[in-house]
Amino acid sequence: MTWQQSLVLGLLAALVALLIQGKLRPALLFSGAVLITYLSGLADINAVVAGYTNSALLTLVLLLLVSLAVEKTRVMSWFANLVGTGSFNKVLVKVWFSTAFLSAFVNNTAVVASMLGAVKRNPNHAPSRLLLPMCFAATFGGVLTLIGTSTNLIVNSFLIKMGAKPLGMFDFFMVGAGTLLTGLIAVLLFARHLPEQDTEMSRESGYFLEAKVGPGSPMAGRSVKENGLRSLKSLYLAEIIRGNQVICPVQPEHELHEGDMLLFCGDVESVGVLQELKGLDLYGQHRLNGQHLVEVIVSHSSRLVGQTIKDAEFRTHFDAVVLAVRRGETQLTGGLGQIELHAGDTLLLAPGPKFAGNKSLSREFVVVSGLEASTRLDATRSAAVVAGFLGVLTLSVLDLVPLFKGLLVMLVVLLFSRILTLDEIRRRFPLDIWLVVGGALAIADQLEKSGLAKLIADWLMGEFNGASPIIAFIGIYLFTLVLTELMSNNAAAALAFPMGYQLALSMDVSTMPFILAVLFGASSSFILPYGYQTNLMVYAAGNYKMPDYLKLALPVSLAYSLGVIVMVPLLFPF
């Protein structure tokens, strides 16, 4: 073994050990490894830069940025509202397929976050028996298309780097569809064993929000419980104001009337949840159209102190709508517009285009900060964003316009139309993914150039001596599956791909089954709730305990693996 191979092998071993340990961010580890290869003379500057400017990686970055606009649309809310009624099995099937379909085209985390509220509001079935299946459906949906998850595009980046034919949008759709069906069978058999947890939110201090039951609202004439207002995501219905009457505390059987003012306590995500409730008008609703939310704290010297939001003519002076108010641990009462502001109050704002340029901001507020949340776009702009996104994907599938070019044009349009802003892009830029994938590509280049990848492949050949290609395929799949449970799915794909690809070349068989072994294996994070962000989201929201979680996670993981191991060799022979 040469010194170059020894150095790369040592780097790889250290990288794997530190990733499993989990104390340092993967982006930092991959960037550090690339820096060592450069400083040691293994890689020149061109090789390093090539990893971070890979066309598939840049396409992934553009896709994630454009997805920020898709997240603001009402399409996911529309899907969420379709899944509420019917028997348990019927609702489960609707949740499964609608979540999977959305996840095939939109970021998994955004889909789960959007569906979470609707599932928790289901009045007929315990949310704890639906949340985990919904989360797993998002993972299954991610492997239906090339853009379903960042892991797929990472694998595609490696293929382009190797000079191989890149994956098409639906090249592995049939395998994904097969696993989707095996997963559904497991969910239908085992979801009933999940506990019926009460996920209703307790009363707690937070932002104070106001909404009104509009004329002709479907909520009128129905009780609080029937409208699903007792199990809202991160929201508590504190008061109902009906004319001069204040109803507090609010009981589940209280009937809502047209014109009722509903006062909620909740977190920053509550704005999006309330916007999605049909027949409920959020305070300032007509001014909300996809703005990136900001948080301000009223200064002691502010002229707003002692004035109500309405009397201060807040919208006129600051070009911003006050959506919510928070005052430490104090529980606020009365209408939002009638709250007398105090120094130290935190206001949640949906800013207009002139807000940032207002010269009085520094005098009136102590802090002005952006949040990782936005209001929903109106129906017209939502439809335009979805149509544009689908148009870009269609042109790419038909080979009329490259996906990168189409996404770039769409991003420019989104910026000019102010559906997205440069501030949002700066805040939500997927820097970690860019650093991990770019670093992984640079390291993979060194694995190949140093000959270490071939050396490892030859060793694996010796281990699989006399074994059929399908045994080697299963071995690579299980290796990737174990990695993705121990570290992030992107890191697992980055480490497993070079080995799987070189093993296929050494065995002189088709590389496609081994490529898909890595692709599907890296997206198989089911068993541990901490292995994937969406798992952790529903683990907390559903009040699950580890034994409850494993009741469904283990059979789903087995069903997924069975689908991959059967479908891949069947559709992509060696």
Side-chain angles (χ1 to χ4, degrees):
M1 185 180 291
T2 64
W3 73 268
Q4 291 95 336
Q5 291 172 341
S6 299
L7 179 57
V8 175
L9 182 60
L11 268 177
L12 200 60
L15 188 61
V16 172
L18 290 170
L19 284 168
I20 292 173
Q21 193 178 35
K23 291 185 177 180
L24 295 173
R25 290 167 58 185
L28 181 63
L29 294 173
F30 276 95
S31 300
V34 172
L35 182 62
I36 291 172
T37 63
Y38 174 67
L39 294 177
S40 65
L42 276 178
D44 59 22
I45 190 65
N46 292 327
V48 171
V49 171
Y52 293 100
T53 55
N54 178 276
S55 61
L57 173 55
L58 296 179
T59 300
L60 168 61
V61 170
L62 278 179
L63 180 65
L64 293 174
L65 293 177
V66 168
S67 293
L68 298 179
V70 180
E71 289 174 24
K72 293 182 180 185
T73 67
R74 297 170 184 259
V75 64
M76 286 184 280
S77 310
W78 181 74
F79 270 92
N81 291 330
L82 292 177
V83 304
T85 58
S87 65
F88 177 71
N89 280 349
K90 186 175 180 180
V91 170
L92 193 59
V93 170
K94 288 195 290 184
V95 167
W96 184 260
F97 283 113
S98 58
T99 306
F101 174 79
L102 287 170
S103 295
F105 301 99
V106 184
N107 179 271
N108 290 4
T109 305
V111 172
V112 170
S114 297
M115 297 287 285
L116 199 64
V119 171
K120 288 184 71 176
R121 291 195 299 270
N122 193 293
N124 304 313
H125 307 290
S128 58
R129 297 172 72 187
L130 295 170
L131 287 172
L132 201 52
M134 175 199 69
C135 168
F136 291 157
T139 302
F140 278 79
V143 289
L144 288 173
T145 67
L146 179 62
I147 64 169
T149 178
S150 59
T151 311
N152 303 348
L153 286 161
I154 288 170
V155 170
N156 201 39
S157 301
F158 278 104
L159 282 173
I160 294 171
K161 181 78 173 176
M162 298 286 187
K165 181 185 176 184
L167 295 168
M169 183 70 70
F170 298 104
D171 277 3
F172 45 89
F173 175 82
M174 293 306 297
V175 179
T179 62
L180 187 65
L181 293 177
T182 59
L184 177 60
I185 293 169
V187 163
L188 289 172
L189 290 174
F190 291 94
R192 288 184 179 276
H193 299 297
L194 291 171
E196 295 195 32
Q197 308 269 37
D198 181 13
T199 59
E200 180 178 321
M201 185 179 173
S202 59
R203 181 173 183 140
E204 58 183 29
S205 61
Y207 277 112
F208 179 81
L209 304 95
E210 175 187 322
K212 190 174 183 179
V213 180
S217 170
M219 289 189 170
R222 302 174 69 201
S223 71
V224 169
K225 185 176 181 180
E226 287 172 336
N227 281 307
L229 299 181
R230 296 295 293 178
S231 53
L232 291 171
K233 176 195 171 189
S234 305
L235 268 173
Y236 176 84
L237 178 55
E239 293 181 10
I240 299 175
I241 298 179
R242 183 175 298 154
N244 296 322
Q245 181 187 6
V246 178
I247 301 173
C248 181
V250 179
Q251 301 299 326
E253 61 274 10
H254 275 135
E255 186 179 285
L256 299 182
H257 297 175
E258 290 183 10
D260 280 355
M261 187 186 298
L262 310 184
L263 306 178
F264 295 89
C265 291
D267 64 15
V268 65
E269 297 294 338
S270 306
V271 174
V273 175
L274 289 178
Q275 273 193 281
E276 292 166 5
L277 294 179
K278 191 174 181 181
L280 203 59
D281 298 327
L282 184 62
Y283 186 85
Q285 178 81 41
H286 65 285
R287 292 282 299 271
L288 306 184
N289 202 3
Q291 296 100 319
H292 185 68
L293 302 183
V294 298
E295 198 174 48
V296 302
I297 299 175
V298 178
S299 167
H300 284 80
S301 61
S302 173
R303 67 173 184 80
L304 299 173
V305 175
Q307 294 194 68
T308 66
I309 294 171
K310 185 176 181 181
D311 290 342
E313 297 182 328
F314 197 97
R315 295 182 206 174
T316 304
H317 287 291
F318 297 101
D319 190 29
V321 178
V322 179
L323 301 177
V325 179
R326 185 174 65 207
R327 182 175 296 161
E329 299 299 316
T330 304
Q331 185 68 50
L332 299 172
T333 59
L336 188 63
Q338 303 305 317
I339 292 176
E340 187 178 285
L341 296 176
H342 293 184
D345 283 355
T346 302
L347 311 182
L348 186 65
L349 309 179
K354 298 178 182 177
F355 173 79
N358 193 312
K359 295 180 180 179
S360 65
L361 290 181
S362 59
R363 182 178 67 251
E364 304 290 351
F365 308 111
V366 178
V367 178
V368 179
S369 61
L371 299 169
E372 299 300 334
S374 302
T375 61
R376 296 286 183 263
L377 295 169
D378 62 27
T380 302
R381 297 186 111 193
S382 289
V385 170
V386 172
F389 187 63
L390 292 177
V392 167
L393 297 183
T394 303
L395 291 173
S396 172
V397 170
L398 297 176
D399 287 329
L400 296 175
V401 177
L403 184 58
F404 178 85
K405 187 178 290 186
L407 290 171
L408 183 60
V409 170
M410 185 171 180
L411 182 62
V412 171
V413 172
L414 291 171
L415 285 169
F416 271 102
S417 62
R418 297 193 62 81
I419 291 174
L420 287 180
T421 65
L422 288 174
D423 183 59
E424 282 177 287
I425 288 176
R426 179 180 60 81
R427 292 178 182 279
R428 301 285 300 276
F429 188 85
L431 181 61
D432 278 17
I433 289 178
W434 182 62
L435 290 174
V436 167
V437 180
L441 289 168
I443 292 169
D445 189 49
Q446 293 309 308
L447 274 171
E448 185 184 356
K449 286 182 178 177
S450 68
L452 183 60
K454 188 175 186 308
L455 201 65
I456 293 173
D458 290 341
W459 173 76
L460 289 172
M461 274 284 290
E463 293 298 310
F464 290 114
N465 186 29
S468 64
I470 194 167
I471 299 298
F473 158 76
I474 294 172
I476 289 295
Y477 171 76
L478 293 177
F479 172 68
T480 313
L481 183 151
V482 171
L483 282 181
T484 202
E485 291 291 356
L486 297 174
M487 60 185 72
S488 74
N489 53 344
N490 293 335
L495 293 172
F497 181 87
M499 299 174 193
Y501 191 80
Q502 286 296 331
L503 180 59
L505 294 178
S506 298
M507 297 184 79
D508 196 25
V509 295
S510 171
T511 57
M512 193 62 176
F514 291 84
I515 292 167
L516 295 183
V518 173
L519 186 147
F520 280 89
S523 293
S524 60
S525 184
F526 300 104
I527 298 174
L528 296 177
Y530 313 102
Y532 195 54
Q533 186 175 353
T534 53
N535 294 359
L536 200 56
M537 287 168 66
V538 298
Y539 188 75
N543 295 327
Y544 296 110
K545 294 179 175 62
M546 184 59 78
D548 302 327
Y549 180 90
L550 292 176
K551 285 177 184 176
L552 188 62
L554 287 173
V556 164
S557 182
L558 183 62
Y560 178 90
S561 296
L562 186 64
V564 172
I565 290 169
V566 171
M567 294 291 292
V568 170
L570 192 65
L571 296 173
F572 299 93
F574 297 98

